[in-house]
């Protein structure tokens, strides 16, 4: 029983519930309204990739990075682990979908569109609000955000998805991206860093690296 929480693997993930527009600065850069209720879309569980290489699909000219904090749900549908995720987005397909009132599935749920870092046990962080996420591309900071700036907290998002959707054990929740999203190019080197701002030694909780193929 003691190890039950750790008996998981990415191939158990059925659903990735993802929040859109959950940081006001990102909603603004997308010229979107700040939502009154959580905006949730679905990435298939099979979009998850734990490898270190990002493969850009040939059919899109504009794959964007969206760095996000991800939570893993245990058998009781509670957060048990967390990591960093890239909610890769085919922005050209999403713009077409928005313009034509069509679903976002092509834009958000294509093959390998959800690279995840290694999972950390949640009890290693005292306060979720103290988390800070940063994405560097080719050593230049592109996204820097604080969990305290989320419009809806991770707990509020979880309550919302459990109320409306058939959430299952081992599902993942993505909590939205801060501003600074942009296009990935072949050869880019990504470094994503998760910090706990209350830690005095400034050592990151997590560093993830991905190379764009
Ligand atoms: Mg996103």
């Amino acid at each position: 029983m003691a190890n039950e929480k750790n008996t998981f693997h990415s191939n158990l993930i059925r659903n990735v519930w993802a929040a859109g527009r959950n940081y006001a600065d990102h909603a603004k850069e997308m010229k979107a309204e700040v939502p009154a209720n959580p905006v949730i879309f679905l990435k298939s569980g099979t979009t998850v990739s734990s490898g270190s290489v990002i493969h850009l699909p040939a059919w899109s000219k504009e794959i964007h990075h969206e760095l996000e904090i991800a939570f893993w749900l245990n058998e009781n549908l509670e957060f048990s682990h967390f990591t960093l995720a890239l909610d890769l987005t085919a922005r050209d397909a999403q713009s077409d979908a928005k313009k034509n009132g069509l679903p976002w599935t092509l834009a958000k749920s294509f093959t390998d569109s959800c690279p995840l870092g290694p999972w950390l046990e949640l009890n290693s962080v005292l306060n979720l609000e103290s988390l800070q996420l940063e994405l560097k591309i080719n050593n230049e900071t592109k996204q820097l955000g604080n969990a305290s700036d989320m419009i809806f907290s991770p707990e509020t998002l979880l309550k919302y998805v459990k109320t409306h959707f058939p959430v299952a054990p081992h599902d993942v929740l993505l909590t939205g991206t801060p501003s600074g999203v942009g296009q990935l190019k072949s050869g880019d080197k990504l470094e994503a860093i998760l910090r706990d701002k209350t830690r005095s030694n400034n050592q990151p909780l997590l560093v993830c690296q991905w190379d764009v193929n």
Side-chain angles (χ1 to χ4, degrees):
M1 274 311 264
N3 290 324
E4 193 180 332
K5 276 188 183 172
N6 292 321
T7 57
F8 61 82
H9 191 271
S10 288
N11 64 13
L12 295 174
I13 297 168
R14 283 202 228 168
N15 306 296
V16 179
W17 308 100
R21 303 174 194 168
N22 200 33
Y23 289 78
D25 57 353
H26 173 61
K28 194 173 167 191
E29 75 179 347
M30 297 305 294
K31 298 181 173 52
E33 298 280 319
V34 171
N37 291 299
V39 174
I40 302 294
F41 60 89
L42 191 58
K43 291 170 90 85
S44 156
T46 51
T47 62
V48 166
S49 137
S50 52
S52 59
V53 176
I54 292 170
H55 300 280
L56 300 178
W59 48 260
S60 171
K61 291 185 170 60
E62 198 180 8
I63 299 296
H64 274 203
H65 56 80
E66 295 190 0
L67 183 68
E68 315 207 355
I69 299 171
F71 291 92
W72 168 278
L73 301 184
N74 64 14
E75 296 290 339
N76 300 320
L77 305 184
E78 297 160 340
F79 295 145
S80 66
H81 292 72
F82 67 110
T83 191
L84 287 171
L86 290 173
D87 168 23
L88 295 181
T89 303
R91 197 69 75 199
D92 44 1
Q94 189 190 35
S95 298
D96 278 354
K98 284 180 177 174
K99 201 163 45 188
N100 295 299
L102 295 171
W104 288 8
T105 311
L106 179 62
K108 288 289 194 179
S109 199
F110 55 89
T111 303
D112 292 339
S113 61
C114 193
L116 293 179
W119 292 101
L120 302 176
E121 277 198 61
L122 195 55
N123 60 16
S124 62
V125 169
L126 297 175
N127 182 0
L128 294 181
E129 294 239 317
S130 68
L131 292 175
Q132 182 183 64
L133 64 170
E134 179 177 9
L135 179 67
K136 294 181 183 178
I137 301 182
N138 305 325
N139 226 15
E140 187 183 331
T141 298
K142 297 290 189 182
Q143 293 193 266
L144 180 63
N146 295 296
S148 56
D149 291 331
M150 289 181 190
I151 296 166
F152 301 102
S153 70
E155 293 87 353
T156 302
L157 294 173
L158 178 61
K159 191 173 171 201
Y160 185 90
V161 297
K162 282 162 74 173
T163 300
H164 293 82
F165 305 116
V167 178
H170 317 305
D171 281 0
V172 167
L173 177 71
L174 303 187
T175 53
T177 196
S179 63
V181 303
Q183 187 171 352
L184 292 175
K185 298 184 304 295
S186 181
D188 280 346
K189 292 193 176 304
L190 278 61
E191 184 174 72
I193 303 149
L194 186 65
R195 296 186 184 88
D196 175 357
K197 291 195 297 178
T198 61
R199 280 197 176 189
S200 52
N201 61 9
N202 208 25
Q203 278 291 103
L205 295 172
L206 191 62
V207 178
C208 307
Q209 289 170 327
W210 293 282
D211 291 343
V212 181
N213 194 353

